Amino acid sequence: MNPAASPDSPEPDSGGAAPGSHALTAAEQAEYERLRRAARVRHRRLRRTGASLLLLLALLLAPLAVVASWLQETVTNTDRYVETVAPLASDPAVQNVVINRLTNRVMDNIDVKAVTNALSNSLKDAGAPPRVVAAADALSGPLHDTVKAAVDRVVTRVITSDTFKKVWVGANRRAQPAVVNVLTGEHKGVVQAQGNTIQLNVGQVVDKVKQRLVDEGFEKASAIPTPDRTITLFHTKELSKAQDAFRVLNVVGVWLPVVTVVLAGLAVWTAPGHRAMLVVTATGVAVMMVVLLVALAVARQFYLDSVPPSELPADAAATIYDTFVRFLRDTTRTLLVISVITALSAYMFGPGRAASAIRRTADRATTATGRALGRIGARTGPVGRWLGHHRKWTTGVVIAAGVLALLLWNEPTIGAVALVIGIVLAVLILLAILAAAALPSAPVPAAGLEGRSTA
């Protein structure tokens, strides 16, 4: 028996549809399309919401990541710390503070009045006239000024010499663990937290000055007391909070920048429009870097207000702050420039009117240059044709190489960023010209035909 004729075999319907199938009516098809569009909209909304949350976390963590990286690289690294504070030894404002402080300490241990009293008593015992004895008593003021001037010259020679710079570098190299101790709450080292003050112990410098003064004949200089070998850097009532913040940042300092970059990358990848989200992410990072720069300016003013002028002049305090945070400020400015350039680059690859006009102008220029090279015989042949057919890939590779160079650059500056961007643009322009040089030259219309067409 023929199986096809078996009663158990399903028969096709009159419409010719497959067995068990159902032909959708127009209303059913419209409802299906509506549900599919609704599902697509919900999917896009979920992706947009997730990308927005990831971006928000990345932007909130960006300033903390920069500060944490700076702390990890500068404060806890001895070589980087010494490189940070070394310029202070050559700054006139800081040198004047040390000179004045040490000169005053020496003069406090030289009793000029006792010298003039001994001289007047000796003259009186020798039967000198009263006017001579009175004149000897009046010598205390001029003698004090003369001795102070002599001490100041000796101290100035020491502080402005290369010896002080070497001592300063050596002292700070030993002081770096002490700075970490202050921020972690341990009270030891040449930088110490005493109550609400941060003090720098300059005992090693004092010893050098004392020895130089003794060599110059000021034997009393050896009596400079040990407790007066400190300089108060600043007062703060928030030291405990700063120590708590440092402990947290020191723990997450290694991973926080990585987490921030990953969150930003996931935000761009999750968003329905990758290019638009890249523009938003780069712009947001640029805004957060501006916020960080403003915060550093506010912190600078807070620091200057916390230092009594009697303990540290305003110019010296400003120099200390600016020198200590200069690498953090430079890094923030560099990231600001990179973010702005990234946002502009992502916009340039978009459908915007200005971006399209710039791309058309660049294409015309490179094409004209390449064809001009071809007309003089400098054709690029298969290489140029390959570059023309794979222009998107070559452009992506060149841009990725520039990004990789910036990532591998140790502490890139704004100048380094400008250099890398210039090289990337130059390579892209060169590749576009080489690709255009492989194209056949545009035919030049004959003079007669041109005249006839315009007639």
Side-chain angles (χ1 to χ4, degrees), residues 30 130 142 172 187-188 200 218 227 257 289 347 371 406 417 436 447 454:
N172 277 282
H187 302 283
K188 60 182 180 179
L200 173 65
F218 295 94
M289 293 303 101
Y347 171 77
R371 287 180 173 176
L406 289 177
V417 174
T454 57

Side-chain angles (χ1 to χ4, degrees), residues 102-242:
L102 295 181
T103 300
N104 292 334
R105 291 295 180 265
V106 173
M107 293 306 300
D108 290 341
N109 290 273
I110 298 178
D111 193 351
V112 177
K113 185 63 177 177
V115 175
T116 56
N117 287 339
L119 177 60
S120 61
N121 291 333
S122 299
L123 293 174
K124 187 184 296 183
D125 294 339
R131 292 179 58 184
V132 176
V133 176
D137 290 332
L139 288 175
S140 59
L143 182 59
H144 180 276
D145 294 340
T146 302
V147 173
K148 185 175 182 180
V151 172
D152 184 81
R153 284 195 299 271
V154 174
V155 174
T156 300
R157 284 201 301 268
V158 174
I159 300 303
T160 58
S161 66
D162 292 337
T163 301
F164 174 67
K165 297 175 183 178
K166 294 178 181 178
V167 170
W168 178 267
V169 170
N172 277 282
R173 184 171 294 279
R174 288 183 290 272
Q176 185 270 338
V179 174
V180 177
N181 291 336
V182 169
L183 293 174
T184 55
E186 299 182 16
H187 302 283
K188 60 182 180 179
V190 297
V191 179
Q192 299 179 354
Q194 298 293 338
N196 292 328
T197 64
I198 304 297
Q199 296 181 344
L200 173 65
N201 191 318
V202 293
Q204 192 175 22
V205 178
V206 172
D207 292 338
K208 292 286 184 181
V209 173
K210 282 170 55 177
Q211 184 59 46
R212 180 67 63 87
L213 289 171
V214 171
D215 295 340
E216 295 284 340
F218 295 94
E219 298 181 358
K220 291 290 185 178
S222 60
I224 297 177
T226 300
D228 293 332
R229 297 183 175 190
T230 59
I231 295 177
T232 299
L233 297 179
F234 60 90
H235 292 266
T236 178
K237 296 180 180 179
E238 308 294 334
L239 180 59
S240 60
K241 295 181 181 179

